Amino acid sequence: MRNKTCLPVFLFTFIAATVGAHAQQSLDAMIDRDLASMVATYKTLHAAPELSHHEEKTAAFFANQLRAMGYAVTERIGKYEKAEWTGYGVVAVMKNGAGPTVLVRTELDALPVDEKTGLPYASKVKTKNDLGQDVSVMHACGHDIHITNMLGTAKMLSELKEKWGGTLIILGQPAEETIDGARAMLRDGIYERFPKPDYTIALHDDANLPAGTVGYTPGYTLASSTSVDIKIRGLGGHGSKPDATKDPIVVAAQVVMALQTIVSRENSPFDPAVVTVGSIHGGTRYNIIPDEVNLQLTVRAYKEEVRQKLLAAIERITKGIALAAGIPNDRAPKVKVSETEITAATYNDPQLTERLAAVFVKALGANNVVKVAPAMASEDFGYLSLDQKIPSTDFWLGAVDPARVKESKETGTPLPSLHSALFQPLPEPTLRTGIKAMTSAVLDLMKK
Ligand SMILES: [Zn+2]
Ligand SMILES: [Zn+2]
């Protein structure tokens, strides 16, 4: 009997003492207490990356950790166009009385990159990609930093419940690198099955900013991305007899050059835009004029009307050049805008972004918060804001050893970029800063 009554009393006292201690403890002390275990988690994740659409173990680990912290966790969320892919999305909800609903997102996937950092915890994972080819896998975009950062933030907030009110949603998103994960989760009804957020927040590690700092960009921060396939069809024949052919290689060469005039001559200089031909394939031998040449393009813009204008110009120019070359109508080029390899621009709500920048200044010091210029890179976080209807912001987390940043500035040698086999975040200060910044941001939006 004594034991039975004694144990709950002891437990209650222990929990009460812990909660009381948390209330007094600074966030710094709480993060320091957990940092060694967070770094260990990061290294474990780093050594075990999984490709987009295959984040099974990563998602299960993430879900289990959140469940242990007291979150209501739902797994296997996401419906892709390809029915054979499982959606490994995770949604973890913590309801804590009245207040706003805030969604914080991390990606879960890694890249087909053969890691060359030489770190003791470097990935040695090899697998087959969806085409059946052997590939190495690496967290070369630092999504392992994001996952660990999210777990740290989730833990801090689960222990600081007396300081915030509302509904907190932790979202683990698969397939960011293939830019179809956020849409797959929306298609699976996340905003109907779970509370719809008033704000969405994310961070991304930065391969140029030193660890210990964060960066923010009000307004457009990342561009929309659209993949375009062009098939230029000619009339093939012998390389010695061009007069009997319509040479698609010459047409393709003219098209590649003419496409460069869209941004320089047709687009307003005040609207950033990119048209890149990333792939060109045609022909088999020296002396054969082929029947067709295939091009692959990426098109970047911030505004939707600019994107539409670029796409229309690509089609018009390609078809016009083929026409001028005398290619018959039934062999006109085929210009196909991808419906799946596309993503919306990421727009950081200026008011929310400035508000959180002020929170970061308070938490990290003004010297450690920098305004960063927008980039034409892309990601699919923007979809979660439902066409900018939900105020949203995606901020940068400095991840590089400050000594390496200094050396790079002095020598002019660029640092390894995101997706590089040499990308190497410095775990401890990066995680400390990220967890503090993200926790402070959520506490500000949900403060009692
Ligand atoms: Zn990436
Ligand atoms: Zn990334």
Side-chain angles (χ1 to χ4, degrees), residues 107 141 143 176-177 204:
E107 315 88 323
C141 206
H143 296 175
E176 185 281 323
E177 295 294 356
H204 203 294

Side-chain angles (χ1 to χ4, degrees), residues 224-419:
S224 72
S225 169
T226 307
S227 294
V228 180
D229 283 279
I230 299 179
K231 186 185 283 294
I232 293 168
R233 301 178 297 170
L235 298 169
H238 201 287
S240 69
K241 213 171 164 9
D243 49 307
T245 71
K246 296 291 176 202
D247 187 347
I249 289 191
V250 173
V251 173
Q254 288 180 327
V255 166
V256 171
M257 295 311 290
L259 292 180
Q260 302 315 308
T261 62
I262 299 174
V263 173
S264 67
R265 302 290 84 187
E266 291 192 38
N267 184 61
S268 161
F270 298 100
D271 284 325
V274 174
V275 176
T276 289
V277 179
S279 162
I280 175 164
H281 284 96
T284 51
R285 261 203 68 81
Y286 309 94
N287 58 354
I288 304 172
I289 292 171
D291 280 325
E292 62 180 49
V293 175
N294 292 296
L295 311 178
Q296 293 185 328
L297 283 66
T298 187
V299 177
R300 307 292 171 108
Y302 291 126
K303 296 179 189 162
E304 178 59 20
E305 66 258 34
V306 173
R307 173 180 170 271
Q308 292 297 343
K309 214 174 137 184
L310 299 173
L311 294 174
I314 289 168
E315 177 147 9
R316 192 193 72 238
I317 288 172
T318 304
K319 290 191 168 163
I321 288 174
L323 190 70
I327 290 173
N329 251 347
D330 63 339
R331 299 284 293 160
K334 287 188 171 165
V335 179
K336 191 173 176 296
V337 177
S338 174
E339 284 166 17
T340 49
E341 222 174 287
I342 47 167
T343 188
T346 309
Y347 180 78
N348 286 341
D349 179 83
Q351 212 184 335
L352 174 65
T353 307
E354 294 290 359
R355 173 176 171 179
L356 295 189
V359 172
F360 300 149
V361 166
K362 213 166 145 197
L364 307 170
N367 288 343
N368 294 317
V369 182
V370 286
K371 200 167 182 173
V372 175
M376 297 307 280
S378 299
E379 85 128 287
D380 67 354
F381 174 60
Y383 282 113
L384 297 174
S385 74
L386 303 177
D387 274 339
Q388 303 171 18
K389 282 188 201 75
I390 301 171
S392 170
T393 198
D394 188 5
F395 64 90
W396 295 107
L397 175 63
V400 189
D401 184 342
R404 297 184 72 196
V405 176
K406 189 165 170 268
E407 188 189 305
S408 163
K409 277 187 183 149
E410 282 165 8
T411 60
T413 313
L415 289 160
S417 63
L418 295 176
H419 293 201

